[in-house]
Amino acid sequence: MTLSELCIRRPVMTTLITASIIAFGVFGFRLVAGFRAAQGRFPHHRRAATLPGASADTHGGVGRRHH
Protein backbone atom coordinates (compact mmCIF):
# COMPACT_ATOMS: atom_id res chain seq x y z
CA MET A 1 0.00 0.00 0.00
CA THR A 2 1.51 3.31 -1.05
CA LEU A 3 1.34 6.51 0.95
CA SER A 4 -1.28 8.01 -1.36
CA GLU A 5 -3.54 4.93 -0.98
CA LEU A 6 -3.18 5.08 2.80
CA CYS A 7 -4.09 8.78 2.89
CA ILE A 8 -7.13 8.23 0.67
CA ARG A 9 -8.42 5.28 2.69
CA ARG A 10 -7.85 6.89 6.10
CA PRO A 11 -8.51 10.65 5.87
CA VAL A 12 -8.91 11.12 9.64
CA MET A 13 -5.47 9.63 10.27
CA THR A 14 -4.02 11.86 7.56
CA THR A 15 -5.58 14.95 9.17
CA LEU A 16 -4.28 14.01 12.64
CA ILE A 17 -0.76 13.36 11.35
CA THR A 18 -0.75 16.67 9.46
CA ALA A 19 -2.01 18.57 12.52
CA SER A 20 0.62 16.97 14.75
CA ILE A 21 3.42 17.84 12.32
CA ILE A 22 2.25 21.45 12.23
CA ALA A 23 1.98 21.60 16.05
CA PHE A 24 5.46 20.14 16.54
CA GLY A 25 6.81 22.61 14.01
CA VAL A 26 5.26 25.61 15.78
CA PHE A 27 6.52 24.50 19.19
CA GLY A 28 9.95 23.64 17.82
CA PHE A 29 10.26 27.00 16.08
CA ARG A 30 9.60 28.80 19.35
CA LEU A 31 12.28 26.78 21.13
CA VAL A 32 15.02 27.56 18.63
CA ALA A 33 17.82 29.38 20.43
CA GLY A 34 18.43 31.94 17.67
CA PHE A 35 14.79 32.90 17.28
CA ARG A 36 15.13 36.26 19.06
CA ALA A 37 18.61 36.94 17.69
CA ALA A 38 17.13 37.66 14.26
CA GLN A 39 15.86 41.04 15.46
CA GLY A 40 19.31 42.67 15.22
CA ARG A 41 20.52 45.19 12.67
CA PHE A 42 22.24 43.77 9.63
CA PRO A 43 24.72 45.61 7.41
CA HIS A 44 23.39 46.76 4.05
CA HIS A 45 25.46 47.08 0.91
CA ARG A 46 24.29 49.10 -2.03
CA ARG A 47 25.81 48.80 -5.48
CA ALA A 48 25.05 50.74 -8.62
CA ALA A 49 26.17 50.20 -12.18
CA THR A 50 25.62 52.51 -15.11
CA LEU A 51 26.01 51.76 -18.77
CA PRO A 52 26.63 54.49 -21.32
CA GLY A 53 23.64 55.01 -23.59
CA ALA A 54 21.20 53.10 -21.36
CA SER A 55 19.21 56.04 -20.05
CA ALA A 56 15.72 56.93 -21.26
CA ASP A 57 16.96 60.29 -22.57
CA THR A 58 19.46 58.66 -24.91
CA HIS A 59 16.83 56.60 -26.71
CA GLY A 60 14.94 59.72 -27.77
CA GLY A 61 11.47 58.30 -27.38
CA VAL A 62 11.94 55.08 -29.35
CA GLY A 63 8.97 52.85 -28.74
CA ARG A 64 6.61 55.62 -27.64
CA ARG A 65 3.30 56.00 -29.38
CA HIS A 66 2.79 59.43 -30.89
CA HIS A 67 -0.75 60.63 -31.37
Side-chain angles (χ1 to χ4, degrees), residues 38-66:
Q39 296 174 357
R41 296 183 69 187
F42 297 102
H44 296 281
H45 299 282
R46 190 173 290 190
R47 307 274 170 144
T50 57
L51 298 173
S55 71
D57 297 331
T58 306
H59 292 292
V62 175
R64 283 196 230 163
R65 293 184 181 176
H66 298 285

mmCIF file with all atom_site columns, all heavy atoms in Angstrom, residues 38-66:
data_model
loop_
_atom_site.group_PDB
_atom_site.id
_atom_site.type_symbol
_atom_site.label_atom_id
_atom_site.label_alt_id
_atom_site.label_comp_id
_atom_site.label_asym_id
_atom_site.label_entity_id
_atom_site.label_seq_id
_atom_site.pdbx_PDB_ins_code
_atom_site.Cartn_x
_atom_site.Cartn_y
_atom_site.Cartn_z
_atom_site.occupancy
_atom_site.B_iso_or_equiv
_atom_site.pdbx_formal_charge
_atom_site.auth_seq_id
_atom_site.auth_comp_id
_atom_site.auth_asym_id
_atom_site.auth_atom_id
_atom_site.pdbx_PDB_model_num
ATOM 1   N N   . ALA A 1 38 ? 17.375 37.162 15.608  1.00 0.00 ? 38 ALA A N   1
ATOM 2   C CA  . ALA A 1 38 ? 17.133 37.659 14.260  1.00 0.00 ? 38 ALA A CA  1
ATOM 3   C C   . ALA A 1 38 ? 16.583 39.077 14.249  1.00 0.00 ? 38 ALA A C   1
ATOM 4   O O   . ALA A 1 38 ? 16.320 39.625 13.196  1.00 0.00 ? 38 ALA A O   1
ATOM 5   C CB  . ALA A 1 38 ? 16.170 36.729 13.531  1.00 0.00 ? 38 ALA A CB  1
ATOM 6   N N   . GLN A 1 39 ? 16.409 39.692 15.402  1.00 0.00 ? 39 GLN A N   1
ATOM 7   C CA  . GLN A 1 39 ? 15.860 41.044 15.461  1.00 0.00 ? 39 GLN A CA  1
ATOM 8   C C   . GLN A 1 39 ? 16.950 42.113 15.407  1.00 0.00 ? 39 GLN A C   1
ATOM 9   O O   . GLN A 1 39 ? 16.674 43.287 15.518  1.00 0.00 ? 39 GLN A O   1
ATOM 10  C CB  . GLN A 1 39 ? 15.039 41.208 16.731  1.00 0.00 ? 39 GLN A CB  1
ATOM 11  C CG  . GLN A 1 39 ? 13.832 40.305 16.765  1.00 0.00 ? 39 GLN A CG  1
ATOM 12  C CD  . GLN A 1 39 ? 13.106 40.362 18.091  1.00 0.00 ? 39 GLN A CD  1
ATOM 13  O OE1 . GLN A 1 39 ? 13.544 41.049 19.009  1.00 0.00 ? 39 GLN A OE1 1
ATOM 14  N NE2 . GLN A 1 39 ? 12.007 39.657 18.193  1.00 0.00 ? 39 GLN A NE2 1
ATOM 15  N N   . GLY A 1 40 ? 18.208 41.718 15.242  1.00 0.00 ? 40 GLY A N   1
ATOM 16  C CA  . GLY A 1 40 ? 19.314 42.667 15.225  1.00 0.00 ? 40 GLY A CA  1
ATOM 17  C C   . GLY A 1 40 ? 19.376 43.451 13.930  1.00 0.00 ? 40 GLY A C   1
ATOM 18  O O   . GLY A 1 40 ? 18.599 43.247 13.006  1.00 0.00 ? 40 GLY A O   1
ATOM 19  N N   . ARG A 1 41 ? 20.321 44.393 13.882  1.00 0.00 ? 41 ARG A N   1
ATOM 20  C CA  . ARG A 1 41 ? 20.524 45.186 12.670  1.00 0.00 ? 41 ARG A CA  1
ATOM 21  C C   . ARG A 1 41 ? 21.582 44.517 11.815  1.00 0.00 ? 41 ARG A C   1
ATOM 22  O O   . ARG A 1 41 ? 22.633 44.123 12.304  1.00 0.00 ? 41 ARG A O   1
ATOM 23  C CB  . ARG A 1 41 ? 20.964 46.594 13.035  1.00 0.00 ? 41 ARG A CB  1
ATOM 24  C CG  . ARG A 1 41 ? 19.885 47.339 13.809  1.00 0.00 ? 41 ARG A CG  1
ATOM 25  C CD  . ARG A 1 41 ? 20.310 48.731 14.101  1.00 0.00 ? 41 ARG A CD  1
ATOM 26  N NE  . ARG A 1 41 ? 20.342 49.458 12.834  1.00 0.00 ? 41 ARG A NE  1
ATOM 27  C CZ  . ARG A 1 41 ? 20.810 50.678 12.706  1.00 0.00 ? 41 ARG A CZ  1
ATOM 28  N NH1 . ARG A 1 41 ? 21.287 51.317 13.733  1.00 0.00 ? 41 ARG A NH1 1
ATOM 29  N NH2 . ARG A 1 41 ? 20.813 51.261 11.527  1.00 0.00 ? 41 ARG A NH2 1
ATOM 30  N N   . PHE A 1 42 ? 21.320 44.409 10.551  1.00 0.00 ? 42 PHE A N   1
ATOM 31  C CA  . PHE A 1 42 ? 22.235 43.772 9.632   1.00 0.00 ? 42 PHE A CA  1
ATOM 32  C C   . PHE A 1 42 ? 22.846 44.821 8.717   1.00 0.00 ? 42 PHE A C   1
ATOM 33  O O   . PHE A 1 42 ? 22.186 45.806 8.366   1.00 0.00 ? 42 PHE A O   1
ATOM 34  C CB  . PHE A 1 42 ? 21.506 42.724 8.797   1.00 0.00 ? 42 PHE A CB  1
ATOM 35  C CG  . PHE A 1 42 ? 20.955 41.605 9.626   1.00 0.00 ? 42 PHE A CG  1
ATOM 36  C CD1 . PHE A 1 42 ? 19.611 41.558 9.952   1.00 0.00 ? 42 PHE A CD1 1
ATOM 37  C CD2 . PHE A 1 42 ? 21.790 40.610 10.090  1.00 0.00 ? 42 PHE A CD2 1
ATOM 38  C CE1 . PHE A 1 42 ? 19.103 40.538 10.722  1.00 0.00 ? 42 PHE A CE1 1
ATOM 39  C CE2 . PHE A 1 42 ? 21.295 39.584 10.867  1.00 0.00 ? 42 PHE A CE2 1
ATOM 40  C CZ  . PHE A 1 42 ? 19.954 39.541 11.183  1.00 0.00 ? 42 PHE A CZ  1
ATOM 41  N N   . PRO A 1 43 ? 24.100 44.642 8.323   1.00 0.00 ? 43 PRO A N   1
ATOM 42  C CA  . PRO A 1 43 ? 24.720 45.607 7.406   1.00 0.00 ? 43 PRO A CA  1
ATOM 43  C C   . PRO A 1 43 ? 24.080 45.536 6.022   1.00 0.00 ? 43 PRO A C   1
ATOM 44  O O   . PRO A 1 43 ? 23.681 44.471 5.567   1.00 0.00 ? 43 PRO A O   1
ATOM 45  C CB  . PRO A 1 43 ? 26.184 45.169 7.354   1.00 0.00 ? 43 PRO A CB  1
ATOM 46  C CG  . PRO A 1 43 ? 26.164 43.743 7.744   1.00 0.00 ? 43 PRO A CG  1
ATOM 47  C CD  . PRO A 1 43 ? 25.012 43.568 8.692   1.00 0.00 ? 43 PRO A CD  1
ATOM 48  N N   . HIS A 1 44 ? 23.966 46.689 5.392   1.00 0.00 ? 44 HIS A N   1
ATOM 49  C CA  . HIS A 1 44 ? 23.394 46.762 4.055   1.00 0.00 ? 44 HIS A CA  1
ATOM 50  C C   . HIS A 1 44 ? 24.461 47.268 3.094   1.00 0.00 ? 44 HIS A C   1
ATOM 51  O O   . HIS A 1 44 ? 25.197 48.191 3.407   1.00 0.00 ? 44 HIS A O   1
ATOM 52  C CB  . HIS A 1 44 ? 22.189 47.716 4.020   1.00 0.00 ? 44 HIS A CB  1
ATOM 53  C CG  . HIS A 1 44 ? 21.059 47.256 4.864   1.00 0.00 ? 44 HIS A CG  1
ATOM 54  N ND1 . HIS A 1 44 ? 20.188 46.289 4.463   1.00 0.00 ? 44 HIS A ND1 1
ATOM 55  C CD2 . HIS A 1 44 ? 20.661 47.620 6.098   1.00 0.00 ? 44 HIS A CD2 1
ATOM 56  C CE1 . HIS A 1 44 ? 19.296 46.076 5.402   1.00 0.00 ? 44 HIS A CE1 1
ATOM 57  N NE2 . HIS A 1 44 ? 19.569 46.866 6.412   1.00 0.00 ? 44 HIS A NE2 1
ATOM 58  N N   . HIS A 1 45 ? 24.520 46.661 1.943   1.00 0.00 ? 45 HIS A N   1
ATOM 59  C CA  . HIS A 1 45 ? 25.457 47.081 0.912   1.00 0.00 ? 45 HIS A CA  1
ATOM 60  C C   . HIS A 1 45 ? 24.654 47.491 -0.318  1.00 0.00 ? 45 HIS A C   1
ATOM 61  O O   . HIS A 1 45 ? 23.747 46.796 -0.732  1.00 0.00 ? 45 HIS A O   1
ATOM 62  C CB  . HIS A 1 45 ? 26.403 45.943 0.534   1.00 0.00 ? 45 HIS A CB  1
ATOM 63  C CG  . HIS A 1 45 ? 27.223 45.469 1.686   1.00 0.00 ? 45 HIS A CG  1
ATOM 64  N ND1 . HIS A 1 45 ? 28.313 46.144 2.144   1.00 0.00 ? 45 HIS A ND1 1
ATOM 65  C CD2 . HIS A 1 45 ? 27.095 44.391 2.498   1.00 0.00 ? 45 HIS A CD2 1
ATOM 66  C CE1 . HIS A 1 45 ? 28.826 45.506 3.164   1.00 0.00 ? 45 HIS A CE1 1
ATOM 67  N NE2 . HIS A 1 45 ? 28.099 44.433 3.411   1.00 0.00 ? 45 HIS A NE2 1
ATOM 68  N N   . ARG A 1 46 ? 24.994 48.618 -0.852  1.00 0.00 ? 46 ARG A N   1
ATOM 69  C CA  . ARG A 1 46 ? 24.289 49.103 -2.028  1.00 0.00 ? 46 ARG A CA  1
ATOM 70  C C   . ARG A 1 46 ? 25.286 49.271 -3.171  1.00 0.00 ? 46 ARG A C   1
ATOM 71  O O   . ARG A 1 46 ? 26.334 49.877 -3.009  1.00 0.00 ? 46 ARG A O   1
ATOM 72  C CB  . ARG A 1 46 ? 23.630 50.451 -1.714  1.00 0.00 ? 46 ARG A CB  1
ATOM 73  C CG  . ARG A 1 46 ? 22.696 50.913 -2.793  1.00 0.00 ? 46 ARG A CG  1
ATOM 74  C CD  . ARG A 1 46 ? 21.966 52.135 -2.358  1.00 0.00 ? 46 ARG A CD  1
ATOM 75  N NE  . ARG A 1 46 ? 21.034 51.732 -1.305  1.00 0.00 ? 46 ARG A NE  1
ATOM 76  C CZ  . ARG A 1 46 ? 20.103 52.523 -0.823  1.00 0.00 ? 46 ARG A CZ  1
ATOM 77  N NH1 . ARG A 1 46 ? 20.003 53.747 -1.260  1.00 0.00 ? 46 ARG A NH1 1
ATOM 78  N NH2 . ARG A 1 46 ? 19.290 52.103 0.107   1.00 0.00 ? 46 ARG A NH2 1
ATOM 79  N N   . ARG A 1 47 ? 24.958 48.720 -4.302  1.00 0.00 ? 47 ARG A N   1
ATOM 80  C CA  . ARG A 1 47 ? 25.811 48.800 -5.480  1.00 0.00 ? 47 ARG A CA  1
ATOM 81  C C   . ARG A 1 47 ? 25.020 49.435 -6.619  1.00 0.00 ? 47 ARG A C   1
ATOM 82  O O   . ARG A 1 47 ? 23.821 49.231 -6.725  1.00 0.00 ? 47 ARG A O   1
ATOM 83  C CB  . ARG A 1 47 ? 26.262 47.413 -5.931  1.00 0.00 ? 47 ARG A CB  1
ATOM 84  C CG  . ARG A 1 47 ? 26.901 46.567 -4.895  1.00 0.00 ? 47 ARG A CG  1
ATOM 85  C CD  . ARG A 1 47 ? 28.354 46.869 -4.805  1.00 0.00 ? 47 ARG A CD  1
ATOM 86  N NE  . ARG A 1 47 ? 28.893 46.205 -3.618  1.00 0.00 ? 47 ARG A NE  1
ATOM 87  C CZ  . ARG A 1 47 ? 30.076 45.685 -3.566  1.00 0.00 ? 47 ARG A CZ  1
ATOM 88  N NH1 . ARG A 1 47 ? 30.848 45.758 -4.603  1.00 0.00 ? 47 ARG A NH1 1
ATOM 89  N NH2 . ARG A 1 47 ? 30.502 45.127 -2.475  1.00 0.00 ? 47 ARG A NH2 1
ATOM 90  N N   . ALA A 1 48 ? 25.698 50.147 -7.459  1.00 0.00 ? 48 ALA A N   1
ATOM 91  C CA  . ALA A 1 48 ? 25.053 50.742 -8.621  1.00 0.00 ? 48 ALA A CA  1
ATOM 92  C C   . ALA A 1 48 ? 25.983 50.588 -9.825  1.00 0.00 ? 48 ALA A C   1
ATOM 93  O O   . ALA A 1 48 ? 27.196 50.724 -9.703  1.00 0.00 ? 48 ALA A O   1
ATOM 94  C CB  . ALA A 1 48 ? 24.746 52.214 -8.380  1.00 0.00 ? 48 ALA A CB  1
ATOM 95  N N   . ALA A 1 49 ? 25.397 50.316 -10.948 1.00 0.00 ? 49 ALA A N   1
ATOM 96  C CA  . ALA A 1 49 ? 26.169 50.199 -12.185 1.00 0.00 ? 49 ALA A CA  1
ATOM 97  C C   . ALA A 1 49 ? 25.451 50.984 -13.269 1.00 0.00 ? 49 ALA A C   1
ATOM 98  O O   . ALA A 1 49 ? 24.238 50.923 -13.401 1.00 0.00 ? 49 ALA A O   1
ATOM 99  C CB  . ALA A 1 49 ? 26.298 48.738 -12.603 1.00 0.00 ? 49 ALA A CB  1
ATOM 100 N N   . THR A 1 50 ? 26.208 51.738 -14.017 1.00 0.00 ? 50 THR A N   1
ATOM 101 C CA  . THR A 1 50 ? 25.615 52.515 -15.110 1.00 0.00 ? 50 THR A CA  1
ATOM 102 C C   . THR A 1 50 ? 26.288 52.114 -16.410 1.00 0.00 ? 50 THR A C   1
ATOM 103 O O   . THR A 1 50 ? 27.481 51.852 -16.464 1.00 0.00 ? 50 THR A O   1
ATOM 104 C CB  . THR A 1 50 ? 25.792 54.025 -14.880 1.00 0.00 ? 50 THR A CB  1
ATOM 105 O OG1 . THR A 1 50 ? 27.181 54.309 -14.747 1.00 0.00 ? 50 THR A OG1 1
ATOM 106 C CG2 . THR A 1 50 ? 25.067 54.471 -13.627 1.00 0.00 ? 50 THR A CG2 1
ATOM 107 N N   . LEU A 1 51 ? 25.504 52.076 -17.446 1.00 0.00 ? 51 LEU A N   1
ATOM 108 C CA  . LEU A 1 51 ? 26.012 51.761 -18.772 1.00 0.00 ? 51 LEU A CA  1
ATOM 109 C C   . LEU A 1 51 ? 25.804 52.974 -19.670 1.00 0.00 ? 51 LEU A C   1
ATOM 110 O O   . LEU A 1 51 ? 24.734 53.578 -19.661 1.00 0.00 ? 51 LEU A O   1
ATOM 111 C CB  . LEU A 1 51 ? 25.269 50.561 -19.361 1.00 0.00 ? 51 LEU A CB  1
ATOM 112 C CG  . LEU A 1 51 ? 25.399 49.260 -18.588 1.00 0.00 ? 51 LEU A CG  1
ATOM 113 C CD1 . LEU A 1 51 ? 24.479 48.212 -19.188 1.00 0.00 ? 51 LEU A CD1 1
ATOM 114 C CD2 . LEU A 1 51 ? 26.827 48.784 -18.621 1.00 0.00 ? 51 LEU A CD2 1
ATOM 115 N N   . PRO A 1 52 ? 26.805 53.333 -20.444 1.00 0.00 ? 52 PRO A N   1
ATOM 116 C CA  . PRO A 1 52 ? 26.632 54.494 -21.319 1.00 0.00 ? 52 PRO A CA  1
ATOM 117 C C   . PRO A 1 52 ? 25.578 54.196 -22.394 1.00 0.00 ? 52 PRO A C   1
ATOM 118 O O   . PRO A 1 52 ? 25.561 53.129 -22.989 1.00 0.00 ? 52 PRO A O   1
ATOM 119 C CB  . PRO A 1 52 ? 28.022 54.684 -21.949 1.00 0.00 ? 52 PRO A CB  1
ATOM 120 C CG  . PRO A 1 52 ? 28.720 53.376 -21.771 1.00 0.00 ? 52 PRO A CG  1
ATOM 121 C CD  . PRO A 1 52 ? 28.140 52.750 -20.547 1.00 0.00 ? 52 PRO A CD  1
ATOM 122 N N   . GLY A 1 53 ? 24.675 55.147 -22.575 1.00 0.00 ? 53 GLY A N   1
ATOM 123 C CA  . GLY A 1 53 ? 23.643 55.011 -23.585 1.00 0.00 ? 53 GLY A CA  1
ATOM 124 C C   . GLY A 1 53 ? 22.417 54.241 -23.131 1.00 0.00 ? 53 GLY A C   1
ATOM 125 O O   . GLY A 1 53 ? 21.556 53.923 -23.931 1.00 0.00 ? 53 GLY A O   1
ATOM 126 N N   . ALA A 1 54 ? 22.320 53.909 -21.839 1.00 0.00 ? 54 ALA A N   1
ATOM 127 C CA  . ALA A 1 54 ? 21.204 53.104 -21.364 1.00 0.00 ? 54 ALA A CA  1
ATOM 128 C C   . ALA A 1 54 ? 20.111 53.930 -20.695 1.00 0.00 ? 54 ALA A C   1
ATOM 129 O O   . ALA A 1 54 ? 19.151 53.380 -20.196 1.00 0.00 ? 54 ALA A O   1
ATOM 130 C CB  . ALA A 1 54 ? 21.710 52.048 -20.382 1.00 0.00 ? 54 ALA A CB  1
ATOM 131 N N   . SER A 1 55 ? 20.232 55.230 -20.686 1.00 0.00 ? 55 SER A N   1
ATOM 132 C CA  . SER A 1 55 ? 19.206 56.043 -20.047 1.00 0.00 ? 55 SER A CA  1
ATOM 133 C C   . SER A 1 55 ? 18.035 56.276 -20.994 1.00 0.00 ? 55 SER A C   1
ATOM 134 O O   . SER A 1 55 ? 18.143 56.104 -22.211 1.00 0.00 ? 55 SER A O   1
ATOM 135 C CB  . SER A 1 55 ? 19.783 57.389 -19.602 1.00 0.00 ? 55 SER A CB  1
ATOM 136 O OG  . SER A 1 55 ? 20.055 58.183 -20.735 1.00 0.00 ? 55 SER A OG  1
ATOM 137 N N   . ALA A 1 56 ? 16.911 56.686 -20.454 1.00 0.00 ? 56 ALA A N   1
ATOM 138 C CA  . ALA A 1 56 ? 15.719 56.933 -21.264 1.00 0.00 ? 56 ALA A CA  1
ATOM 139 C C   . ALA A 1 56 ? 15.909 58.150 -22.169 1.00 0.00 ? 56 ALA A C   1
ATOM 140 O O   . ALA A 1 56 ? 15.318 58.235 -23.247 1.00 0.00 ? 56 ALA A O   1
ATOM 141 C CB  . ALA A 1 56 ? 14.516 57.133 -20.371 1.00 0.00 ? 56 ALA A CB  1
ATOM 142 N N   . ASP A 1 57 ? 16.729 59.098 -21.751 1.00 0.00 ? 57 ASP A N   1
ATOM 143 C CA  . ASP A 1 57 ? 16.958 60.290 -22.565 1.00 0.00 ? 57 ASP A CA  1
ATOM 144 C C   . ASP A 1 57 ? 17.751 59.969 -23.828 1.00 0.00 ? 57 ASP A C   1
ATOM 145 O O   . ASP A 1 57 ? 17.570 60.594 -24.865 1.00 0.00 ? 57 ASP A O   1
ATOM 146 C CB  . ASP A 1 57 ? 17.712 61.340 -21.751 1.00 0.00 ? 57 ASP A CB  1
ATOM 147 C CG  . ASP A 1 57 ? 16.915 61.807 -20.554 1.00 0.00 ? 57 ASP A CG  1
ATOM 148 O OD1 . ASP A 1 57 ? 15.669 61.781 -20.637 1.00 0.00 ? 57 ASP A OD1 1
ATOM 149 O OD2 . ASP A 1 57 ? 17.522 62.181 -19.537 1.00 0.00 ? 57 ASP A OD2 1
ATOM 150 N N   . THR A 1 58 ? 18.621 59.007 -23.767 1.00 0.00 ? 58 THR A N   1
ATOM 151 C CA  . THR A 1 58 ? 19.459 58.658 -24.909 1.00 0.00 ? 58 THR A CA  1
ATOM 152 C C   . THR A 1 58 ? 18.646 58.044 -26.035 1.00 0.00 ? 58 THR A C   1
ATOM 153 O O   . THR A 1 58 ? 18.922 58.258 -27.210 1.00 0.00 ? 58 THR A O   1
ATOM 154 C CB  . THR A 1 58 ? 20.551 57.660 -24.471 1.00 0.00 ? 58 THR A CB  1
ATOM 155 O OG1 . THR A 1 58 ? 21.245 58.236 -23.368 1.00 0.00 ? 58 THR A OG1 1
ATOM 156 C CG2 . THR A 1 58 ? 21.522 57.379 -25.573 1.00 0.00 ? 58 THR A CG2 1
ATOM 157 N N   . HIS A 1 59 ? 17.622 57.291 -25.698 1.00 0.00 ? 59 HIS A N   1
ATOM 158 C CA  . HIS A 1 59 ? 16.831 56.603 -26.711 1.00 0.00 ? 59 HIS A CA  1
ATOM 159 C C   . HIS A 1 59 ? 15.978 57.566 -27.530 1.00 0.00 ? 59 HIS A C   1
ATOM 160 O O   . HIS A 1 59 ? 15.564 57.234 -28.625 1.00 0.00 ? 59 HIS A O   1
ATOM 161 C CB  . HIS A 1 59 ? 15.934 55.545 -26.064 1.00 0.00 ? 59 HIS A CB  1
ATOM 162 C CG  . HIS A 1 59 ? 16.706 54.409 -25.499 1.00 0.00 ? 59 HIS A CG  1
ATOM 163 N ND1 . HIS A 1 59 ? 17.391 53.523 -26.283 1.00 0.00 ? 59 HIS A ND1 1
ATOM 164 C CD2 . HIS A 1 59 ? 16.928 54.022 -24.222 1.00 0.00 ? 59 HIS A CD2 1
ATOM 165 C CE1 . HIS A 1 59 ? 17.986 52.634 -25.518 1.00 0.00 ? 59 HIS A CE1 1
ATOM 166 N NE2 . HIS A 1 59 ? 17.727 52.911 -24.261 1.00 0.00 ? 59 HIS A NE2 1
ATOM 167 N N   . GLY A 1 60 ? 15.672 58.714 -27.003 1.00 0.00 ? 60 GLY A N   1
ATOM 168 C CA  . GLY A 1 60 ? 14.936 59.715 -27.765 1.00 0.00 ? 60 GLY A CA  1
ATOM 169 C C   . GLY A 1 60 ? 13.526 59.344 -28.073 1.00 0.00 ? 60 GLY A C   1
ATOM 170 O O   . GLY A 1 60 ? 12.975 59.712 -29.110 1.00 0.00 ? 60 GLY A O   1
ATOM 171 N N   . GLY A 1 61 ? 12.874 58.611 -27.200 1.00 0.00 ? 61 GLY A N   1
ATOM 172 C CA  . GLY A 1 61 ? 11.470 58.296 -27.376 1.00 0.00 ? 61 GLY A CA  1
ATOM 173 C C   . GLY A 1 61 ? 11.205 57.126 -28.284 1.00 0.00 ? 61 GLY A C   1
ATOM 174 O O   . GLY A 1 61 ? 10.093 56.975 -28.790 1.00 0.00 ? 61 GLY A O   1
ATOM 175 N N   . VAL A 1 62 ? 12.166 56.262 -28.515 1.00 0.00 ? 62 VAL A N   1
ATOM 176 C CA  . VAL A 1 62 ? 11.944 55.079 -29.345 1.00 0.00 ? 62 VAL A CA  1
ATOM 177 C C   . VAL A 1 62 ? 10.963 54.169 -28.645 1.00 0.00 ? 62 VAL A C   1
ATOM 178 O O   . VAL A 1 62 ? 11.113 53.870 -27.463 1.00 0.00 ? 62 VAL A O   1
ATOM 179 C CB  . VAL A 1 62 ? 13.278 54.347 -29.617 1.00 0.00 ? 62 VAL A CB  1
ATOM 180 C CG1 . VAL A 1 62 ? 13.023 53.057 -30.363 1.00 0.00 ? 62 VAL A CG1 1
ATOM 181 C CG2 . VAL A 1 62 ? 14.226 55.242 -30.355 1.00 0.00 ? 62 VAL A CG2 1
ATOM 182 N N   . GLY A 1 63 ? 9.959  53.740 -29.338 1.00 0.00 ? 63 GLY A N   1
ATOM 183 C CA  . GLY A 1 63 ? 8.974  52.847 -28.744 1.00 0.00 ? 63 GLY A CA  1
ATOM 184 C C   . GLY A 1 63 ? 7.758  53.556 -28.187 1.00 0.00 ? 63 GLY A C   1
ATOM 185 O O   . GLY A 1 63 ? 6.793  52.932 -27.811 1.00 0.00 ? 63 GLY A O   1
ATOM 186 N N   . ARG A 1 64 ? 7.785  54.874 -28.116 1.00 0.00 ? 64 ARG A N   1
ATOM 187 C CA  . ARG A 1 64 ? 6.612  55.622 -27.644 1.00 0.00 ? 64 ARG A CA  1
ATOM 188 C C   . ARG A 1 64 ? 5.609  55.748 -28.773 1.00 0.00 ? 64 ARG A C   1
ATOM 189 O O   . ARG A 1 64 ? 5.954  55.846 -29.931 1.00 0.00 ? 64 ARG A O   1
ATOM 190 C CB  . ARG A 1 64 ? 7.006  57.021 -27.195 1.00 0.00 ? 64 ARG A CB  1
ATOM 191 C CG  . ARG A 1 64 ? 7.651  57.053 -25.855 1.00 0.00 ? 64 ARG A CG  1
ATOM 192 C CD  . ARG A 1 64 ? 7.624  58.478 -25.380 1.00 0.00 ? 64 ARG A CD  1
ATOM 193 N NE  . ARG A 1 64 ? 8.961  58.861 -24.934 1.00 0.00 ? 64 ARG A NE  1
ATOM 194 C CZ  . ARG A 1 64 ? 9.377  60.088 -24.768 1.00 0.00 ? 64 ARG A CZ  1
ATOM 195 N NH1 . ARG A 1 64 ? 8.587  61.098 -25.070 1.00 0.00 ? 64 ARG A NH1 1
ATOM 196 N NH2 . ARG A 1 64 ? 10.565 60.340 -24.328 1.00 0.00 ? 64 ARG A NH2 1
ATOM 197 N N   . ARG A 1 65 ? 4.359  55.792 -28.384 1.00 0.00 ? 65 ARG A N   1
ATOM 198 C CA  . ARG A 1 65 ? 3.302  56.003 -29.376 1.00 0.00 ? 65 ARG A CA  1
ATOM 199 C C   . ARG A 1 65 ? 3.020  57.508 -29.483 1.00 0.00 ? 65 ARG A C   1
ATOM 200 O O   . ARG A 1 65 ? 2.751  58.172 -28.497 1.00 0.00 ? 65 ARG A O   1
ATOM 201 C CB  . ARG A 1 65 ? 2.015  55.290 -28.980 1.00 0.00 ? 65 ARG A CB  1
ATOM 202 C CG  . ARG A 1 65 ? 2.158  53.803 -29.023 1.00 0.00 ? 65 ARG A CG  1
ATOM 203 C CD  . ARG A 1 65 ? 0.850  53.157 -28.718 1.00 0.00 ? 65 ARG A CD  1
ATOM 204 N NE  . ARG A 1 65 ? 0.992  51.715 -28.741 1.00 0.00 ? 65 ARG A NE  1
ATOM 205 C CZ  . ARG A 1 65 ? 0.040  50.875 -28.441 1.00 0.00 ? 65 ARG A CZ  1
ATOM 206 N NH1 . ARG A 1 65 ? -1.147 51.307 -28.117 1.00 0.00 ? 65 ARG A NH1 1
ATOM 207 N NH2 . ARG A 1 65 ? 0.246  49.587 -28.491 1.00 0.00 ? 65 ARG A NH2 1
ATOM 208 N N   . HIS A 1 66 ? 3.091  58.006 -30.649 1.00 0.00 ? 66 HIS A N   1
ATOM 209 C CA  . HIS A 1 66 ? 2.794  59.432 -30.890 1.00 0.00 ? 66 HIS A CA  1
ATOM 210 C C   . HIS A 1 66 ? 1.409  59.539 -31.463 1.00 0.00 ? 66 HIS A C   1
ATOM 211 O O   . HIS A 1 66 ? 1.032  58.833 -32.394 1.00 0.00 ? 66 HIS A O   1
ATOM 212 C CB  . HIS A 1 66 ? 3.827  60.037 -31.858 1.00 0.00 ? 66 HIS A CB  1
ATOM 213 C CG  . HIS A 1 66 ? 5.213  59.990 -31.327 1.00 0.00 ? 66 HIS A CG  1
ATOM 214 N ND1 . HIS A 1 66 ? 5.649  60.849 -30.335 1.00 0.00 ? 66 HIS A ND1 1
ATOM 215 C CD2 . HIS A 1 66 ? 6.264  59.178 -31.613 1.00 0.00 ? 66 HIS A CD2 1
ATOM 216 C CE1 . HIS A 1 66 ? 6.916  60.581 -30.056 1.00 0.00 ? 66 HIS A CE1 1
ATOM 217 N NE2 . HIS A 1 66 ? 7.313  59.560 -30.818 1.00 0.00 ? 66 HIS A NE2 1
#
